Amino acid sequence: MTIDQRLEVRRTPPPTSRAPWLGVGVLTLPVFLVSMDASVLFLATPRLTAALRPSAAEQLWILDVYGFLIAGLLITMGNLGDRIGRRRLLLAGATLFGLASVVAAFAPSPEVLIAARAAMGVGGATLMPSSLSLLTNLFPDPAQRGRAIGVWTAAFAGGSALGPVIGGVLLHHFWWGSVFLINVPVLAVLLVAAPRWVPEFRTGGSDPFDLVGIVLSMLAILPSVYAIKHLATEGADLSAMAVGLFGLTMLAAFVAYERRTLFPLLDLGLFANRAFTAAILVALLGMVSLAAMFYLTGIYLQSVLGQDVLAAALAGLPVAVTVAVASMGASRVVAHLGVGRAFVVALLAAAAGNGVLLGLGVTHGLVLYMVGTSIAGVGYGVMFSVVSEVAVGSVPAERSGAAAGVSETCFELGSALGLAVLGSLAVAVFRSRDDGRGFGDTLSATLLSTHDQALADAARAAFVDGLHAATLVGVVLLVLSAVLVGRARLTLAGAAEGHHEG
């Protein structure tokens, strides 16, 4: 049963006329942190590797277990918030997120850091759906609600883009764990301000949780990702094949179960809508390429070009600005081009920006990096701002809640898959260039363990080859998405018009 179908709705009105916009300010804090923490470690990877010495697989788990748990639990946490109160869930999740951030900051080993990142993912899964749903409840007027959602979306996109910049500034002055401790004071503000400026909301629904669906989805995602990482770092063997086959079997079981259960975790019927499917694929594939771009270029700037962490952070400012500006200006682009053309142009801009990164070299590339990522940032900013509107606007009103949940899930899942799949591809190419030279598991590990300049130069060249391979796949995914959206353009336009009329 969706939110619109439920009869029992209990709200506490905001105490003053200014409270809705004060509430917006409060509710942008958690979404900014959640998106920032998906990317804040990108510039910290070399320092973290030096301190904890994780293997290549552990390094990728540190980065993406967070995103996978958010993606796997977003819809579940949204349903839980309907029952116990969305503000209550928001505050509980913020507390867990803050405590896990402290553990991560002082983690003594890769295993502890992975566990702390997993706990942060569980907390983050409560913050995103709670903040967005509470924000929409603050504004009965559709125009004001649209502006508020635009601010929320800009905070999400800005957090992802500014994560590496903020991380770089902190790393210039403090140790690698400082990128997690920054969460604590921000969450403290949230815990104090939310009870005052954000009214509680709950629907009193009692539909049963799809516990089987939750378990099957995680059993499908995590083993499949493990198999991909294992194949990249250790090569094909019986263990990787068995785990990968198990993951695919669980995926098939998940789809079969969701089709027949009365209260599914994922409403598969939504994918019968062409516009919805196109928007969801754009969200997924766009985030795959964006996450890989930020992660690999963060290592490139420091370990290949030799930039210090502050210089690398400053080099990331142009893309942070273009993503934020494009996110807030997306509505004007749509008004001028129409939603279908805006999607296609945004995807092609992101592809072109990533294509510029194919020119990055071992001894040059700083200017190309800044130009390429800035162009890509314009595309990503417009793209992600339009995705949610199209996804929700393309389905009937009574299914809009489920559509929003799937949209948010695909953003997080795409980010995690970008790190897992394209990150693993880059590692595989790096390892394939070894030829008995004695590379470590990663470029950072190799540079830390050798004083042989020839070996170090060969490792840097191998990493650039891996970056090019992953980037090329990202470009292909973006172009294919543009073709898909171009074919669905009329359907997308109709969906957007219907949404605005509603």
Side-chain angles (χ1 to χ4, degrees), residues 61 68 71-72 216-226 247 413 417:
W61 276 119
F68 280 121
L216 288 175
S217 67
M218 301 308 289
L219 289 177
I221 292 173
L222 296 180
S224 299
V225 172
Y226 171 83
L413 184 59
L417 283 174

Side-chain angles (χ1 to χ4, degrees), residues 175-383:
W175 90 112
W176 63 267
S178 62
V179 300
F180 296 115
L181 284 186
I182 189 64
N183 297 335
V184 176
V186 177
L187 291 170
V189 172
L190 173 67
L191 291 171
V192 172
R196 177 174 176 81
W197 300 116
V198 179
E200 179 61 286
F201 181 95
R202 67 181 185 275
T203 63
S206 59
D207 293 347
F209 280 120
D210 182 13
L211 294 177
V212 175
I214 296 169
V215 172
L216 288 175
S217 67
M218 301 308 289
L219 289 177
I221 292 173
L222 296 180
S224 299
V225 172
Y226 171 83
I228 292 170
K229 295 175 188 292
H230 190 91
L231 287 170
T233 57
E234 306 297 334
D237 57 25
L238 184 61
S239 173
M241 294 174 63
V243 173
L245 181 61
F246 175 79
L248 292 176
T249 302
M250 291 299 101
L251 177 61
F254 171 75
V255 172
Y257 181 81
E258 294 299 291
R259 282 177 173 171
R260 68 174 186 268
T261 186
L262 293 177
F263 303 100
L265 175 68
L266 178 62
D267 183 358
L268 296 176
L270 291 171
F271 292 95
N273 184 297
R274 186 179 178 187
F276 175 83
T277 302
I280 290 305
L281 283 176
V282 168
L284 183 71
L285 299 179
M287 284 304 299
V288 165
S289 65
L290 176 65
M293 181 186 79
F294 278 147
Y295 167 54
L296 294 172
T297 55
I299 297 174
Y300 169 80
L301 290 173
Q302 295 177 84
S303 297
V304 175
L305 293 187
Q307 300 289 317
D308 66 33
V309 69
L310 182 59
L314 294 176
L317 276 176
V319 64
V321 171
T322 58
V323 167
V325 171
S327 295
M328 291 185 286
S331 60
R332 296 182 181 179
V333 176
V334 171
H336 182 68
L337 297 178
V339 66
R341 288 192 182 91
F343 250 144
V344 171
V345 170
L347 285 161
L348 293 178
N354 275 274
V356 171
L357 301 182
L358 294 174
L360 298 181
V362 176
T363 59
H364 67 279
L366 181 60
V367 173
L368 281 178
Y369 162 79
M370 296 174 71
V371 171
T373 55
S374 297
I375 294 171
V378 173
Y380 288 124
V382 173
M383 182 196 319

Side-chain angles (χ1 to χ4, degrees), residues 419-486:
L419 297 174
V421 178
L422 297 190
S424 293
L425 172 61
V427 170
V429 172
F430 173 79
R431 296 281 293 273
S432 73
R433 301 293 192 269
D434 190 342
D435 294 331
R437 293 186 179 96
F439 289 176
D441 280 346
T442 64
L443 174 60
S444 298
T446 305
L447 297 179
L448 286 169
S449 63
T450 184
H451 297 289
D452 184 339
Q453 188 60 45
L455 177 62
D457 290 343
R460 291 187 177 97
F463 177 84
V464 171
D465 289 343
L467 184 154
H468 287 164
T471 300
L472 182 59
V473 172
V475 170
V476 171
L477 291 176
L478 291 166
V479 172
L480 288 177
S481 298
V483 172
L484 171 69
V485 170

Side-chain angles (χ1 to χ4, degrees), residues 139-149 500 502:
F139 297 95
D141 178 64
Q144 285 191 321
R145 185 167 59 244
R147 287 194 291 272
I149 292 174
H500 289 307

